[in-house]
Structure formats: C-alpha cells, structure tokens
Amino acid sequence: MSRLVAAPVAALLLAGCVMYEDGSTSDGGQTSPGAVREVPLRVVEQGDRTLAFVPVSISGEGPFMFALDTGASASVVDADVADRVDLERTGERRSVSGVLGTGLVPVARVEQWRVGDVRLDPGEVTVIDLGPPRGGGGIQGLLGSDVLSDFGSITVDYEDGVLRIPAA
C-alpha cells in the first residue's frame, strides 16, 4: 500500500528549490536587518512540471536531493535514505493521501540536518518509499511547509535559480 501511495503523494507534493548561505553579517557577528541567505536552486523541467531541488544533509551524510514543496504540510524522507542515515523511527504512523489512496506510514525523528549550509531545527518526518530514481535522478525527500515556515518567509526565484531566506 505504501508504494501505491508514495508516487501520487510525491507527485502532489512537488514544487521546488536549493540553498547556500550568503554570510552577510554586520559588525559583531549579528545579522543586519533585512539580510538574506541565498541558496542556488536546481530547477528541473519535466514535461509540463517544474521541480526545484535543495541539497539536504542528514546527520552529516548527503547531500540528498529533496524537492522544495511549499504545498506539503509535512516533510518526507525516502525509506532508503532514512535507513542509510539510521533515522530512528518513533513508532508512530501517520496517514498520508494520494491519488491512488490513503495509507499509514512510519515517522522518524531527525536531530541534525541542513539544507545547503543552513541548519534546520530538529523535527519529525514521514518515511515513504519514493521509488527508484527516474531519468538520471530521483527525489530523495520533500522539504515541506513544516520546515519552510520556520523561516517566516522565503522567496523562490526560478528565473535566477535562487532561494532566498531571511538570515537568522
């Protein structure tokens, strides 16, 4: 069942980006008001869809290619990636929905992770088998609004291939 749900869920959740930290600071190491960090996007055109990817490192491993997905309420890690970095499952299972149905998937705790050079707060992710890589690449996870909302606001600039987030 999880395989039947995974592909439609992934297809519905995709929107996209990628990040690097700009290092703009004022005197004393404090970030100046209005400063942003910029992260380069890997933008991929697939038929009538445009996907944007960010490099995500988990527990110092990676980077893994995550689709930036502002429409997903929860971030997702591919089951193979979760096993590779030894993410501890919480024992909880959450319901996910897709075009082909609904299913329960495991939840894992992520203590240390980064998007580009930007540290992300510890949190929980759902673990789904996103399937084998297609077309020379694959989605190894989705970075959803549960994580992206921590930045307050973001700007996705597809034309210049940059994700802009406020500096902390």
Side-chain angles (χ1 to χ4, degrees):
M1 177 62 169
S2 67
R3 222 179 247 288
L4 289 175
V5 173
V9 168
L12 289 174
L13 299 177
L14 297 177
C17 305
V18 173
M19 305 178 113
Y20 78 93
E21 191 164 349
D22 166 336
S24 304
T25 59
S26 62
D27 295 336
Q30 296 291 328
T31 306
S32 60
V36 297
R37 293 173 284 184
E38 292 186 341
V39 178
L41 299 178
R42 178 174 160 226
V43 179
V44 177
E45 302 286 335
Q46 290 184 340
D48 61 348
R49 295 185 302 172
T50 300
L51 308 175
F53 292 91
V54 294
V56 173
S57 300
I58 302 172
S59 300
E61 294 192 47
F64 304 103
M65 294 313 295
F66 277 46
L68 181 65
D69 190 349
T70 59
S73 60
S75 294
V76 173
V77 173
D78 180 70
D80 287 340
V81 172
D83 291 341
R84 178 175 162 187
V85 300
D86 200 25
L87 285 183
E88 182 179 341
R89 306 314 197 265
T90 66
E92 178 186 357
R93 295 178 76 73
R94 291 192 184 144
S95 178
V96 296
S97 306
V99 174
L100 297 178
T102 301
L104 293 175
V105 297
V107 175
R109 179 91 183 143
V110 182
E111 293 297 330
Q112 297 177 11
W113 57 335
R114 294 181 166 277
V115 58
D117 290 333
V118 178
R119 188 185 67 76
L120 301 173
D121 290 337
E124 293 182 339
V125 295
T126 55
V127 179
I128 299 175
D129 180 358
L130 295 175
R134 291 180 278 286
I139 298 170
Q140 295 173 298
L142 302 173
L143 200 58
S145 64
D146 57 330
V147 172
L148 298 171
S149 64
D150 289 344
F151 298 117
S153 66
I154 61 171
T155 302
V156 179
D157 185 336
Y158 287 96
E159 189 173 308
D160 290 337
V162 175
L163 173 66
R164 292 182 183 92
I165 60 173

mmCIF file with all atom_site columns, all heavy atoms in Angstrom, residues 118-143:
data_model
loop_
_atom_site.group_PDB
_atom_site.id
_atom_site.type_symbol
_atom_site.label_atom_id
_atom_site.label_alt_id
_atom_site.label_comp_id
_atom_site.label_asym_id
_atom_site.label_entity_id
_atom_site.label_seq_id
_atom_site.pdbx_PDB_ins_code
_atom_site.Cartn_x
_atom_site.Cartn_y
_atom_site.Cartn_z
_atom_site.occupancy
_atom_site.B_iso_or_equiv
_atom_site.pdbx_formal_charge
_atom_site.auth_seq_id
_atom_site.auth_comp_id
_atom_site.auth_asym_id
_atom_site.auth_atom_id
_atom_site.pdbx_PDB_model_num
ATOM 1   N N   . VAL A 1 118 ? 22.462 25.794 5.709   1.00 0.00 ? 118 VAL A N   1
ATOM 2   C CA  . VAL A 1 118 ? 21.537 26.331 6.702   1.00 0.00 ? 118 VAL A CA  1
ATOM 3   C C   . VAL A 1 118 ? 21.041 25.204 7.614   1.00 0.00 ? 118 VAL A C   1
ATOM 4   O O   . VAL A 1 118 ? 20.444 24.230 7.138   1.00 0.00 ? 118 VAL A O   1
ATOM 5   C CB  . VAL A 1 118 ? 20.339 27.027 6.025   1.00 0.00 ? 118 VAL A CB  1
ATOM 6   C CG1 . VAL A 1 118 ? 19.352 27.554 7.060   1.00 0.00 ? 118 VAL A CG1 1
ATOM 7   C CG2 . VAL A 1 118 ? 20.816 28.142 5.105   1.00 0.00 ? 118 VAL A CG2 1
ATOM 8   N N   . ARG A 1 119 ? 21.284 25.372 8.916   1.00 0.00 ? 119 ARG A N   1
ATOM 9   C CA  . ARG A 1 119 ? 20.852 24.372 9.888   1.00 0.00 ? 119 ARG A CA  1
ATOM 10  C C   . ARG A 1 119 ? 19.338 24.406 10.025  1.00 0.00 ? 119 ARG A C   1
ATOM 11  O O   . ARG A 1 119 ? 18.730 25.475 10.058  1.00 0.00 ? 119 ARG A O   1
ATOM 12  C CB  . ARG A 1 119 ? 21.491 24.643 11.252  1.00 0.00 ? 119 ARG A CB  1
ATOM 13  C CG  . ARG A 1 119 ? 21.250 23.539 12.274  1.00 0.00 ? 119 ARG A CG  1
ATOM 14  C CD  . ARG A 1 119 ? 21.793 23.894 13.645  1.00 0.00 ? 119 ARG A CD  1
ATOM 15  N NE  . ARG A 1 119 ? 21.071 25.000 14.268  1.00 0.00 ? 119 ARG A NE  1
ATOM 16  C CZ  . ARG A 1 119 ? 19.865 24.896 14.833  1.00 0.00 ? 119 ARG A CZ  1
ATOM 17  N NH1 . ARG A 1 119 ? 19.226 23.750 14.818  1.00 0.00 ? 119 ARG A NH1 1
ATOM 18  N NH2 . ARG A 1 119 ? 19.293 25.951 15.369  1.00 0.00 ? 119 ARG A NH2 1
ATOM 19  N N   . LEU A 1 120 ? 18.742 23.230 10.092  1.00 0.00 ? 120 LEU A N   1
ATOM 20  C CA  . LEU A 1 120 ? 17.303 23.114 10.307  1.00 0.00 ? 120 LEU A CA  1
ATOM 21  C C   . LEU A 1 120 ? 17.061 22.645 11.737  1.00 0.00 ? 120 LEU A C   1
ATOM 22  O O   . LEU A 1 120 ? 17.867 21.909 12.304  1.00 0.00 ? 120 LEU A O   1
ATOM 23  C CB  . LEU A 1 120 ? 16.693 22.105 9.327   1.00 0.00 ? 120 LEU A CB  1
ATOM 24  C CG  . LEU A 1 120 ? 16.886 22.422 7.838   1.00 0.00 ? 120 LEU A CG  1
ATOM 25  C CD1 . LEU A 1 120 ? 16.392 21.271 6.975   1.00 0.00 ? 120 LEU A CD1 1
ATOM 26  C CD2 . LEU A 1 120 ? 16.189 23.718 7.481   1.00 0.00 ? 120 LEU A CD2 1
ATOM 27  N N   . ASP A 1 121 ? 15.942 23.064 12.304  1.00 0.00 ? 121 ASP A N   1
ATOM 28  C CA  . ASP A 1 121 ? 15.589 22.629 13.648  1.00 0.00 ? 121 ASP A CA  1
ATOM 29  C C   . ASP A 1 121 ? 15.287 21.134 13.644  1.00 0.00 ? 121 ASP A C   1
ATOM 30  O O   . ASP A 1 121 ? 14.754 20.602 12.656  1.00 0.00 ? 121 ASP A O   1
ATOM 31  C CB  . ASP A 1 121 ? 14.356 23.384 14.157  1.00 0.00 ? 121 ASP A CB  1
ATOM 32  C CG  . ASP A 1 121 ? 14.638 24.846 14.449  1.00 0.00 ? 121 ASP A CG  1
ATOM 33  O OD1 . ASP A 1 121 ? 15.823 25.195 14.696  1.00 0.00 ? 121 ASP A OD1 1
ATOM 34  O OD2 . ASP A 1 121 ? 13.680 25.641 14.437  1.00 0.00 ? 121 ASP A OD2 1
ATOM 35  N N   . PRO A 1 122 ? 15.592 20.446 14.755  1.00 0.00 ? 122 PRO A N   1
ATOM 36  C CA  . PRO A 1 122 ? 15.209 19.032 14.856  1.00 0.00 ? 122 PRO A CA  1
ATOM 37  C C   . PRO A 1 122 ? 13.705 18.889 14.671  1.00 0.00 ? 122 PRO A C   1
ATOM 38  O O   . PRO A 1 122 ? 12.936 19.802 15.006  1.00 0.00 ? 122 PRO A O   1
ATOM 39  C CB  . PRO A 1 122 ? 15.624 18.659 16.283  1.00 0.00 ? 122 PRO A CB  1
ATOM 40  C CG  . PRO A 1 122 ? 16.670 19.649 16.658  1.00 0.00 ? 122 PRO A CG  1
ATOM 41  C CD  . PRO A 1 122 ? 16.287 20.925 15.947  1.00 0.00 ? 122 PRO A CD  1
ATOM 42  N N   . GLY A 1 123 ? 13.290 17.765 14.128  1.00 0.00 ? 123 GLY A N   1
ATOM 43  C CA  . GLY A 1 123 ? 11.864 17.564 13.909  1.00 0.00 ? 123 GLY A CA  1
ATOM 44  C C   . GLY A 1 123 ? 11.552 16.153 13.478  1.00 0.00 ? 123 GLY A C   1
ATOM 45  O O   . GLY A 1 123 ? 12.412 15.270 13.493  1.00 0.00 ? 123 GLY A O   1
ATOM 46  N N   . GLU A 1 124 ? 10.313 15.957 13.091  1.00 0.00 ? 124 GLU A N   1
ATOM 47  C CA  . GLU A 1 124 ? 9.858  14.651 12.628  1.00 0.00 ? 124 GLU A CA  1
ATOM 48  C C   . GLU A 1 124 ? 9.561  14.704 11.134  1.00 0.00 ? 124 GLU A C   1
ATOM 49  O O   . GLU A 1 124 ? 9.158  15.742 10.612  1.00 0.00 ? 124 GLU A O   1
ATOM 50  C CB  . GLU A 1 124 ? 8.604  14.229 13.390  1.00 0.00 ? 124 GLU A CB  1
ATOM 51  C CG  . GLU A 1 124 ? 8.873  13.963 14.854  1.00 0.00 ? 124 GLU A CG  1
ATOM 52  C CD  . GLU A 1 124 ? 7.643  13.509 15.612  1.00 0.00 ? 124 GLU A CD  1
ATOM 53  O OE1 . GLU A 1 124 ? 6.502  13.755 15.153  1.00 0.00 ? 124 GLU A OE1 1
ATOM 54  O OE2 . GLU A 1 124 ? 7.828  12.906 16.672  1.00 0.00 ? 124 GLU A OE2 1
ATOM 55  N N   . VAL A 1 125 ? 9.775  13.573 10.489  1.00 0.00 ? 125 VAL A N   1
ATOM 56  C CA  . VAL A 1 125 ? 9.494  13.424 9.066   1.00 0.00 ? 125 VAL A CA  1
ATOM 57  C C   . VAL A 1 125 ? 8.733  12.124 8.864   1.00 0.00 ? 125 VAL A C   1
ATOM 58  O O   . VAL A 1 125 ? 8.857  11.199 9.662   1.00 0.00 ? 125 VAL A O   1
ATOM 59  C CB  . VAL A 1 125 ? 10.792 13.405 8.217   1.00 0.00 ? 125 VAL A CB  1
ATOM 60  C CG1 . VAL A 1 125 ? 11.517 14.733 8.275   1.00 0.00 ? 125 VAL A CG1 1
ATOM 61  C CG2 . VAL A 1 125 ? 11.719 12.276 8.652   1.00 0.00 ? 125 VAL A CG2 1
ATOM 62  N N   . THR A 1 126 ? 7.953  12.074 7.797   1.00 0.00 ? 126 THR A N   1
ATOM 63  C CA  . THR A 1 126 ? 7.348  10.799 7.437   1.00 0.00 ? 126 THR A CA  1
ATOM 64  C C   . THR A 1 126 ? 8.324  10.064 6.530   1.00 0.00 ? 126 THR A C   1
ATOM 65  O O   . THR A 1 126 ? 9.105  10.683 5.796   1.00 0.00 ? 126 THR A O   1
ATOM 66  C CB  . THR A 1 126 ? 5.990  10.989 6.738   1.00 0.00 ? 126 THR A CB  1
ATOM 67  O OG1 . THR A 1 126 ? 6.155  11.844 5.620   1.00 0.00 ? 126 THR A OG1 1
ATOM 68  C CG2 . THR A 1 126 ? 4.962  11.571 7.687   1.00 0.00 ? 126 THR A CG2 1
ATOM 69  N N   . VAL A 1 127 ? 8.307  8.753  6.605   1.00 0.00 ? 127 VAL A N   1
ATOM 70  C CA  . VAL A 1 127 ? 9.214  7.917  5.828   1.00 0.00 ? 127 VAL A CA  1
ATOM 71  C C   . VAL A 1 127 ? 8.388  7.154  4.796   1.00 0.00 ? 127 VAL A C   1
ATOM 72  O O   . VAL A 1 127 ? 7.493  6.381  5.148   1.00 0.00 ? 127 VAL A O   1
ATOM 73  C CB  . VAL A 1 127 ? 9.988  6.937  6.737   1.00 0.00 ? 127 VAL A CB  1
ATOM 74  C CG1 . VAL A 1 127 ? 10.905 6.043  5.913   1.00 0.00 ? 127 VAL A CG1 1
ATOM 75  C CG2 . VAL A 1 127 ? 10.774 7.710  7.797   1.00 0.00 ? 127 VAL A CG2 1
ATOM 76  N N   . ILE A 1 128 ? 8.681  7.418  3.528   1.00 0.00 ? 128 ILE A N   1
ATOM 77  C CA  . ILE A 1 128 ? 7.929  6.817  2.426   1.00 0.00 ? 128 ILE A CA  1
ATOM 78  C C   . ILE A 1 128 ? 8.907  6.275  1.391   1.00 0.00 ? 128 ILE A C   1
ATOM 79  O O   . ILE A 1 128 ? 9.915  6.913  1.098   1.00 0.00 ? 128 ILE A O   1
ATOM 80  C CB  . ILE A 1 128 ? 7.001  7.856  1.756   1.00 0.00 ? 128 ILE A CB  1
ATOM 81  C CG1 . ILE A 1 128 ? 5.983  8.394  2.752   1.00 0.00 ? 128 ILE A CG1 1
ATOM 82  C CG2 . ILE A 1 128 ? 6.305  7.269  0.536   1.00 0.00 ? 128 ILE A CG2 1
ATOM 83  C CD1 . ILE A 1 128 ? 5.111  9.518  2.210   1.00 0.00 ? 128 ILE A CD1 1
ATOM 84  N N   . ASP A 1 129 ? 8.589  5.129  0.815   1.00 0.00 ? 129 ASP A N   1
ATOM 85  C CA  . ASP A 1 129 ? 9.378  4.607  -0.305  1.00 0.00 ? 129 ASP A CA  1
ATOM 86  C C   . ASP A 1 129 ? 9.000  5.422  -1.535  1.00 0.00 ? 129 ASP A C   1
ATOM 87  O O   . ASP A 1 129 ? 7.916  5.261  -2.086  1.00 0.00 ? 129 ASP A O   1
ATOM 88  C CB  . ASP A 1 129 ? 9.077  3.131  -0.512  1.00 0.00 ? 129 ASP A CB  1
ATOM 89  C CG  . ASP A 1 129 ? 9.859  2.527  -1.664  1.00 0.00 ? 129 ASP A CG  1
ATOM 90  O OD1 . ASP A 1 129 ? 10.614 3.259  -2.347  1.00 0.00 ? 129 ASP A OD1 1
ATOM 91  O OD2 . ASP A 1 129 ? 9.720  1.321  -1.890  1.00 0.00 ? 129 ASP A OD2 1
ATOM 92  N N   . LEU A 1 130 ? 9.883  6.355  -1.914  1.00 0.00 ? 130 LEU A N   1
ATOM 93  C CA  . LEU A 1 130 ? 9.611  7.220  -3.061  1.00 0.00 ? 130 LEU A CA  1
ATOM 94  C C   . LEU A 1 130 ? 9.958  6.564  -4.386  1.00 0.00 ? 130 LEU A C   1
ATOM 95  O O   . LEU A 1 130 ? 9.791  7.168  -5.443  1.00 0.00 ? 130 LEU A O   1
ATOM 96  C CB  . LEU A 1 130 ? 10.358 8.549  -2.906  1.00 0.00 ? 130 LEU A CB  1
ATOM 97  C CG  . LEU A 1 130 ? 9.903  9.406  -1.731  1.00 0.00 ? 130 LEU A CG  1
ATOM 98  C CD1 . LEU A 1 130 ? 10.778 10.638 -1.588  1.00 0.00 ? 130 LEU A CD1 1
ATOM 99  C CD2 . LEU A 1 130 ? 8.442  9.792  -1.864  1.00 0.00 ? 130 LEU A CD2 1
ATOM 100 N N   . GLY A 1 131 ? 10.444 5.335  -4.341  1.00 0.00 ? 131 GLY A N   1
ATOM 101 C CA  . GLY A 1 131 ? 10.715 4.594  -5.560  1.00 0.00 ? 131 GLY A CA  1
ATOM 102 C C   . GLY A 1 131 ? 12.095 4.855  -6.111  1.00 0.00 ? 131 GLY A C   1
ATOM 103 O O   . GLY A 1 131 ? 12.832 5.707  -5.621  1.00 0.00 ? 131 GLY A O   1
ATOM 104 N N   . PRO A 1 132 ? 12.439 4.116  -7.169  1.00 0.00 ? 132 PRO A N   1
ATOM 105 C CA  . PRO A 1 132 ? 13.779 4.254  -7.763  1.00 0.00 ? 132 PRO A CA  1
ATOM 106 C C   . PRO A 1 132 ? 13.931 5.576  -8.493  1.00 0.00 ? 132 PRO A C   1
ATOM 107 O O   . PRO A 1 132 ? 12.934 6.153  -8.942  1.00 0.00 ? 132 PRO A O   1
ATOM 108 C CB  . PRO A 1 132 ? 13.845 3.080  -8.741  1.00 0.00 ? 132 PRO A CB  1
ATOM 109 C CG  . PRO A 1 132 ? 12.423 2.808  -9.099  1.00 0.00 ? 132 PRO A CG  1
ATOM 110 C CD  . PRO A 1 132 ? 11.607 3.151  -7.867  1.00 0.00 ? 132 PRO A CD  1
ATOM 111 N N   . PRO A 1 133 ? 15.172 6.042  -8.607  1.00 0.00 ? 133 PRO A N   1
ATOM 112 C CA  . PRO A 1 133 ? 15.420 7.273  -9.366  1.00 0.00 ? 133 PRO A CA  1
ATOM 113 C C   . PRO A 1 133 ? 14.937 7.108  -10.803 1.00 0.00 ? 133 PRO A C   1
ATOM 114 O O   . PRO A 1 133 ? 15.052 6.046  -11.393 1.00 0.00 ? 133 PRO A O   1
ATOM 115 C CB  . PRO A 1 133 ? 16.938 7.425  -9.331  1.00 0.00 ? 133 PRO A CB  1
ATOM 116 C CG  . PRO A 1 133 ? 17.379 6.611  -8.169  1.00 0.00 ? 133 PRO A CG  1
ATOM 117 C CD  . PRO A 1 133 ? 16.382 5.482  -8.042  1.00 0.00 ? 133 PRO A CD  1
ATOM 118 N N   . ARG A 1 134 ? 14.369 8.177  -11.356 1.00 0.00 ? 134 ARG A N   1
ATOM 119 C CA  . ARG A 1 134 ? 13.895 8.167  -12.738 1.00 0.00 ? 134 ARG A CA  1
ATOM 120 C C   . ARG A 1 134 ? 14.631 9.245  -13.530 1.00 0.00 ? 134 ARG A C   1
ATOM 121 O O   . ARG A 1 134 ? 14.890 10.320 -13.008 1.00 0.00 ? 134 ARG A O   1
ATOM 122 C CB  . ARG A 1 134 ? 12.395 8.455  -12.771 1.00 0.00 ? 134 ARG A CB  1
ATOM 123 C CG  . ARG A 1 134 ? 11.576 7.324  -12.200 1.00 0.00 ? 134 ARG A CG  1
ATOM 124 C CD  . ARG A 1 134 ? 10.098 7.632  -12.254 1.00 0.00 ? 134 ARG A CD  1
ATOM 125 N NE  . ARG A 1 134 ? 9.615  8.460  -11.166 1.00 0.00 ? 134 ARG A NE  1
ATOM 126 C CZ  . ARG A 1 134 ? 9.430  8.060  -9.923  1.00 0.00 ? 134 ARG A CZ  1
ATOM 127 N NH1 . ARG A 1 134 ? 9.719  6.832  -9.585  1.00 0.00 ? 134 ARG A NH1 1
ATOM 128 N NH2 . ARG A 1 134 ? 8.963  8.873  -9.012  1.00 0.00 ? 134 ARG A NH2 1
ATOM 129 N N   . GLY A 1 135 ? 14.951 8.938  -14.756 1.00 0.00 ? 135 GLY A N   1
ATOM 130 C CA  . GLY A 1 135 ? 15.546 9.922  -15.656 1.00 0.00 ? 135 GLY A CA  1
ATOM 131 C C   . GLY A 1 135 ? 16.881 10.453 -15.175 1.00 0.00 ? 135 GLY A C   1
ATOM 132 O O   . GLY A 1 135 ? 17.165 11.624 -15.317 1.00 0.00 ? 135 GLY A O   1
ATOM 133 N N   . GLY A 1 136 ? 17.702 9.599  -14.576 1.00 0.00 ? 136 GLY A N   1
ATOM 134 C CA  . GLY A 1 136 ? 19.035 10.014 -14.162 1.00 0.00 ? 136 GLY A CA  1
ATOM 135 C C   . GLY A 1 136 ? 19.074 10.725 -12.818 1.00 0.00 ? 136 GLY A C   1
ATOM 136 O O   . GLY A 1 136 ? 20.114 11.120 -12.349 1.00 0.00 ? 136 GLY A O   1
ATOM 137 N N   . GLY A 1 137 ? 17.947 10.857 -12.166 1.00 0.00 ? 137 GLY A N   1
ATOM 138 C CA  . GLY A 1 137 ? 17.913 11.499 -10.855 1.00 0.00 ? 137 GLY A CA  1
ATOM 139 C C   . GLY A 1 137 ? 16.700 11.007 -10.116 1.00 0.00 ? 137 GLY A C   1
ATOM 140 O O   . GLY A 1 137 ? 15.882 10.285 -10.656 1.00 0.00 ? 137 GLY A O   1
ATOM 141 N N   . GLY A 1 138 ? 16.600 11.376 -8.887  1.00 0.00 ? 138 GLY A N   1
ATOM 142 C CA  . GLY A 1 138 ? 15.449 10.936 -8.127  1.00 0.00 ? 138 GLY A CA  1
ATOM 143 C C   . GLY A 1 138 ? 15.177 11.874 -6.985  1.00 0.00 ? 138 GLY A C   1
ATOM 144 O O   . GLY A 1 138 ? 16.021 12.675 -6.595  1.00 0.00 ? 138 GLY A O   1
ATOM 145 N N   . ILE A 1 139 ? 13.989 11.753 -6.474  1.00 0.00 ? 139 ILE A N   1
ATOM 146 C CA  . ILE A 1 139 ? 13.601 12.538 -5.314  1.00 0.00 ? 139 ILE A CA  1
ATOM 147 C C   . ILE A 1 139 ? 13.906 11.699 -4.088  1.00 0.00 ? 139 ILE A C   1
ATOM 148 O O   . ILE A 1 139 ? 13.408 10.589 -3.949  1.00 0.00 ? 139 ILE A O   1
ATOM 149 C CB  . ILE A 1 139 ? 12.110 12.889 -5.381  1.00 0.00 ? 139 ILE A CB  1
ATOM 150 C CG1 . ILE A 1 139 ? 11.837 13.738 -6.614  1.00 0.00 ? 139 ILE A CG1 1
ATOM 151 C CG2 . ILE A 1 139 ? 11.666 13.592 -4.109  1.00 0.00 ? 139 ILE A CG2 1
ATOM 152 C CD1 . ILE A 1 139 ? 10.373 13.943 -6.901  1.00 0.00 ? 139 ILE A CD1 1
ATOM 153 N N   . GLN A 1 140 ? 14.735 12.240 -3.222  1.00 0.00 ? 140 GLN A N   1
ATOM 154 C CA  . GLN A 1 140 ? 15.115 11.508 -2.016  1.00 0.00 ? 140 GLN A CA  1
ATOM 155 C C   . GLN A 1 140 ? 14.387 12.050 -0.793  1.00 0.00 ? 140 GLN A C   1
ATOM 156 O O   . GLN A 1 140 ? 14.586 11.560 0.307   1.00 0.00 ? 140 GLN A O   1
ATOM 157 C CB  . GLN A 1 140 ? 16.627 11.585 -1.834  1.00 0.00 ? 140 GLN A CB  1
ATOM 158 C CG  . GLN A 1 140 ? 17.343 10.868 -2.979  1.00 0.00 ? 140 GLN A CG  1
ATOM 159 C CD  . GLN A 1 140 ? 18.838 11.058 -2.920  1.00 0.00 ? 140 GLN A CD  1
ATOM 160 O OE1 . GLN A 1 140 ? 19.328 12.172 -3.011  1.00 0.00 ? 140 GLN A OE1 1
ATOM 161 N NE2 . GLN A 1 140 ? 19.546 9.957  -2.766  1.00 0.00 ? 140 GLN A NE2 1
ATOM 162 N N   . GLY A 1 141 ? 13.530 13.031 -1.006  1.00 0.00 ? 141 GLY A N   1
ATOM 163 C CA  . GLY A 1 141 ? 12.724 13.578 0.066   1.00 0.00 ? 141 GLY A CA  1
ATOM 164 C C   . GLY A 1 141 ? 12.007 14.823 -0.392  1.00 0.00 ? 141 GLY A C   1
ATOM 165 O O   . GLY A 1 141 ? 12.215 15.302 -1.514  1.00 0.00 ? 141 GLY A O   1
ATOM 166 N N   . LEU A 1 142 ? 11.146 15.317 0.467   1.00 0.00 ? 142 LEU A N   1
ATOM 167 C CA  . LEU A 1 142 ? 10.419 16.552 0.221   1.00 0.00 ? 142 LEU A CA  1
ATOM 168 C C   . LEU A 1 142 ? 10.619 17.453 1.436   1.00 0.00 ? 142 LEU A C   1
ATOM 169 O O   . LEU A 1 142 ? 10.443 17.010 2.570   1.00 0.00 ? 142 LEU A O   1
ATOM 170 C CB  . LEU A 1 142 ? 8.917  16.289 0.062   1.00 0.00 ? 142 LEU A CB  1
ATOM 171 C CG  . LEU A 1 142 ? 8.492  15.331 -1.033  1.00 0.00 ? 142 LEU A CG  1
ATOM 172 C CD1 . LEU A 1 142 ? 7.005  15.041 -0.937  1.00 0.00 ? 142 LEU A CD1 1
ATOM 173 C CD2 . LEU A 1 142 ? 8.827  15.893 -2.395  1.00 0.00 ? 142 LEU A CD2 1
ATOM 174 N N   . LEU A 1 143 ? 10.984 18.690 1.204   1.00 0.00 ? 143 LEU A N   1
ATOM 175 C CA  . LEU A 1 143 ? 11.108 19.666 2.279   1.00 0.00 ? 143 LEU A CA  1
ATOM 176 C C   . LEU A 1 143 ? 9.824  20.480 2.275   1.00 0.00 ? 143 LEU A C   1
ATOM 177 O O   . LEU A 1 143 ? 9.577  21.254 1.353   1.00 0.00 ? 143 LEU A O   1
ATOM 178 C CB  . LEU A 1 143 ? 12.339 20.545 2.057   1.00 0.00 ? 143 LEU A CB  1
ATOM 179 C CG  . LEU A 1 143 ? 12.879 21.274 3.268   1.00 0.00 ? 143 LEU A CG  1
ATOM 180 C CD1 . LEU A 1 143 ? 13.248 20.302 4.383   1.00 0.00 ? 143 LEU A CD1 1
ATOM 181 C CD2 . LEU A 1 143 ? 14.089 22.094 2.887   1.00 0.00 ? 143 LEU A CD2 1
#
